[in-house]
Amino acid sequence: MSASLPVNVLTWPDYLLIAVYIALNLGVGWWVQVRSKGTGAEYFLGGGRVPTWASAVSWYGTSVSSVSFMALPAYAYAKDWLPMLVGPMASLAGMVVALFFVGLIRRLKTPTVYAYLEKRFNRSVRLIVAGLGALLKIFGRASVIMVLPALALSAATGINVYISITLMGVVTTVYSIKGGFAAVVWTDVIQVAVMIGGVGLMIWYAAAGVDGGLGGIIEAGQRADKFQFVSGEWSLSSVTGWVITGFFIGHVFTIVADQPLMQRVLAAKDNLSAQRMIYSGSAMTLPSNAIFFFVGTALFAFYQANPARLQSGLPDDAIVGYFIAHELPAGMVGLVIAGIFAAAMSTLSSSLSGVAAIAASDFLGVLRPQSTEAKGVALGQWVTLIGGVFATGMAMWIAGMGAKSIWEQSVELIALFGGALPGVFALGMLTRRANSRGVIVGSVASIAVTLWVQNYTSINSFLHAFVAFLTSVVVGYLASLWRRQPVDLARMRGLTVWDLDESTEMRSSR
C-alpha cells in the first residue's frame, strides 16, 4: 500500500508531540556520546554501566516491534487469536536461554555471540553465519519493521509512505551512530514507555465507542469467536498446539543466535545480572501478544458497533492507522503515532547496533586483528550508517510491492534464510560430534527443505522456522558422523552444555 488514504491531516499539537519524541531520541544519542570515553567496550557494550532494569526494558523493546503494534491487531481484527501463544512461548524460550546458556555465551567475553562458532567449529563458520545474520537483520527484520508504521502514518496523515520510512530511518540511524549501544538501550526505555501509552489510549477510545466498554468488547469478541487461541487439531496447516510447540523448540536457539538480544547478555556486568535481565525482559514480553491481539478485537467490536465509520475496502494492515486518524482527538493522534514509531525504532536501532558489533568484532577483529580499538569504533559507525541506508531502501521497496500480509511474508522469508542459524548453535552447544562440515551441509539442506515446504505444502508459516531448524540439526549431525574425526574433548571444554561447569562460570563472573 504505497498510496495515501484521503484522511484528516494532523493538527499542530500532534506534530509537536511527534517532534518532541524525535528530539528526545536524538538528545539521548548526543547525551550518551558526550559521556562516552570512545572505547570499543563503551560503543558496543555500554562499558558495563547500563543498569539491569534498563537492559530488561530494552530486551522487551527489541522483542516487541512494530510488527506487534500493527500486524497483530490487524490479524486479530480480521481473524482470531490463534497465533497469540507465540508470544508467551517466545518468553518461555528466553527463560530457558537464561537458565541454561548464559554461561556458555558470556564466557566468550566478546561483543558478539558469533565468536562462539569459531571456538566450537572454525573461523569460516563464524564468518559465514555472522555475515548471514547481519544481512537478515538489515534486509529482513529491520526493513519490515519500518514498513508497517509507515503505512500507519500514511493512513493517519496522508504523508507519503516513503517520506515516513525516510524519517524513521534517518532519526534512528543518527542516534545509533552517535551513542552506540548505550544510546540504543536508553532510547528503548523512552520508546517502550511511549509505545505502552499508545496502546493504552487505543484501547481506551475503542472501549468508549462500544456499549458496555471493555465488557462490550469481550462480548463482541465472544460472539464472533475471536478469542480462540488453542487448537487441538492434528493439522500442521493452521496454528495448532503442535505448531506452537515446534515454534517454542526452535525459538530457544533463535534467541541464542540473535545478536541484538545477545548483545544485552554480553553487556551485563556478570552472569547473574544477565540472567535477571532476561527473566525480567521475558516476563514483560509474556502478556504482550494478548494485549496486542486485544487491540485488534477492540477495533473489531468498535466497527461492528459503528459500521458507517469504516471505509469500505480498507486493507487489514491499515486498520490501526485508520482508527488512529479517524477516532482519536487532536493531540492523542500524535502520541499514538509516536508509539508506533517507538515500536519500530527500538527494533531498528538494536539491529543496527548488532550489525555494527558484528562488523567490528567478527570481521575486522578476525581479519585484521592488529587494528586499533578506535578503528573498530569508526567501522561500527560507518556500518551503522550504511546499514540504516540499506534498511531504509529495502523498506521502500517492500512498501511498493503491495503485499497482502507483510507479517506472514516476513515470517516465511526469515525462516527460509535464517532458520538454519539457530540450528548451527544448537549443534554446537548440544552435541560433541557436530563439526564444521556438518553444520554447513545442514544449513544448505535447511534452505532447500524450507523452500520446498513453503512452495509445495500447506504447513503453517509459523512452523517453517522449526522445519528449517530441525533440518539443519538432523542433517548437520548426520553429515558430521560421515567419516567422523576424533573429538578433541580438551579443546571443547566449556563449549557445550555437557562440559560447562556452571558453578565455576557463575563464581568467576562475580
Side-chain angles (χ1 to χ4, degrees):
M1 179 182 168
S2 58
S4 59
L5 294 173
V7 298
N8 299 331
V9 177
L10 296 178
T11 60
W12 71 264
D14 300 313
Y15 286 114
L16 178 62
L17 282 170
I18 294 173
V20 168
Y21 165 74
I22 291 174
L24 276 174
N25 283 277
L26 293 174
V28 168
W30 173 81
W31 172 70
V32 172
Q33 184 187 41
V34 169
R35 296 176 69 249
S36 174
K37 299 176 182 179
T39 65
E42 286 268 358
Y43 192 78
F44 298 115
L45 296 176
R49 297 200 305 269
V50 177
T52 300
W53 70 265
S55 290
V57 173
S58 182
W59 176 284
Y60 169 76
T62 301
S63 303
V64 179
S65 69
S66 60
V67 172
S68 303
F69 203 124
M70 301 298 299
L72 297 190
Y75 187 99
Y77 171 84
K79 300 179 183 178
D80 49 38
W81 284 35
L82 274 181
M84 191 276 291
L85 286 178
V86 167
M89 289 300 102
S91 297
L92 292 178
M95 295 178 185
V96 170
V97 171
L99 185 61
F100 294 105
F101 299 107
V102 161
L104 274 173
I105 295 165
R106 282 186 49 81
R107 71 188 303 273
L108 303 173
K109 302 186 185 304
T110 66
T112 77
V113 71
Y114 301 113
Y116 168 83
L117 299 179
E118 182 172 358
K119 292 181 178 293
R120 176 62 180 83
F121 298 114
N122 59 34
R123 179 170 294 181
S124 297
V125 172
R126 175 184 184 177
L127 294 177
I128 292 170
V129 175
L132 183 57
L135 291 175
L136 283 169
K137 287 300 174 189
I138 296 301
F139 291 102
R141 184 166 174 78
S143 56
V144 169
I145 59 96
M146 281 196 286
V147 172
L148 290 171
L151 291 172
L153 186 58
S154 178
T157 67
I159 297 176
N160 186 279
V161 65
Y162 301 109
I163 295 177
S164 304
I165 291 172
T166 301
L167 179 63
M168 278 185 292
V170 168
V171 172
T172 307
T173 301
V174 168
Y175 75 69
S176 298
I177 290 174
K178 281 185 169 294
F181 175 76
V184 170
V185 171
W186 287 113
T187 52
D188 279 353
V189 173
I190 297 173
Q191 289 158 358
V192 166
V194 173
M195 180 182 66
I196 291 173
V199 170
L201 282 172
M202 290 182 63
I203 294 175
W204 177 276
Y205 281 100
V210 177
D211 289 340
L214 292 176
I217 292 173
I218 295 173
E219 289 179 8
Q222 289 174 335
R223 286 195 303 269
D225 200 22
K226 288 287 184 180
F227 295 116
Q228 181 185 4
F229 63 88
V230 176
S231 174
E233 297 179 6
W234 288 94
S235 172
L236 297 180
S237 59
S238 61
V239 190
T240 62
W242 305 104
V243 171
I244 296 298
T245 300
F247 169 84
F248 166 73
I249 295 171
H251 198 69
V252 171
F253 287 97
T254 297
I255 293 174
V256 171
D258 189 281
Q259 169 58 23
L261 291 178
M262 289 302 101
Q263 201 164 350
R264 284 141 184 80
V265 173
L266 294 165
K269 64 180 181 180
D270 54 44
N271 285 7
L272 188 59
S273 297
Q275 289 178 316
R276 287 174 174 170
M277 181 272 297
I278 298 177
Y279 287 137
S280 301
S282 297
M284 292 178 64
T285 309
L286 198 62
S288 286
N289 266 23
I291 294 171
F292 287 117
F293 274 95
F294 187 80
V295 170
T297 303
L299 300 188
F300 170 82
F302 178 88
Y303 286 115
Q304 284 284 304
N306 306 277
R309 301 172 79 160
L310 180 63
Q311 176 181 306
S312 61
L314 185 74
D316 293 335
D317 280 340
I319 190 63
V320 173
Y322 183 86
F323 177 84
I324 293 168
H326 290 273
E327 308 303 339
L328 300 188
M332 296 299 98
V333 176
L335 182 59
V336 178
I337 289 295
I340 296 172
F341 270 8
M345 293 167 65
S346 174
T347 306
L348 174 60
S349 62
S350 295
S351 295
L352 293 177
S353 178
V355 170
I358 289 171
S361 178
D362 294 303
F363 287 93
L364 182 66
V366 170
L367 303 178
R368 297 284 183 85
Q370 72 279 9
S371 296
T372 63
E373 197 171 32
K375 287 184 178 179
V377 172
L379 177 64
Q381 292 173 328
W382 276 107
V383 168
T384 301
L385 173 62
I386 295 169
V389 170
F390 274 104
T392 303
M394 186 68 178
M396 291 182 178
W397 179 75
I398 294 173
M401 290 175 60
K404 184 178 180 181
S405 176
I406 295 172
W407 180 35
E408 292 181 355
Q409 291 194 6
S410 67
V411 169
E412 293 182 0
L413 177 67
I414 293 173
L416 178 62
F417 293 105
L421 304 190
V424 174
F425 281 91
L427 283 167
M429 294 179 172
L430 299 182
T431 77
R432 296 189 182 104
R433 294 292 181 185
N435 56 39
S436 58
R437 177 186 60 207
V439 297
I440 296 298
V441 172
S443 298
V444 173
S446 171
I447 294 175
V449 171
T450 306
L451 187 64
W452 178 81
V453 166
Q454 291 179 348
N455 287 277
Y456 298 103
T457 75
S458 60
I459 292 177
N460 188 269
S461 59
F462 283 105
L463 199 60
H464 292 177
F466 177 68
V467 170
F469 169 78
L470 185 62
T471 302
S472 174
V473 170
V474 173
V475 175
Y477 189 75
L478 293 176
S480 298
L481 295 180
W482 183 64
R483 295 182 180 177
R484 69 185 186 189
Q485 300 174 347
V487 177
D488 187 350
L489 294 178
R491 187 187 68 82
M492 201 174 295
R493 178 68 179 172
L495 296 176
T496 74
V497 294
W498 316 114
D499 301 296
L500 180 63
D501 182 349
E502 288 290 350
S503 61
T504 300
E505 289 294 318
M506 293 292 285
R507 286 196 301 270
S508 65
S509 65
R510 293 175 180 171

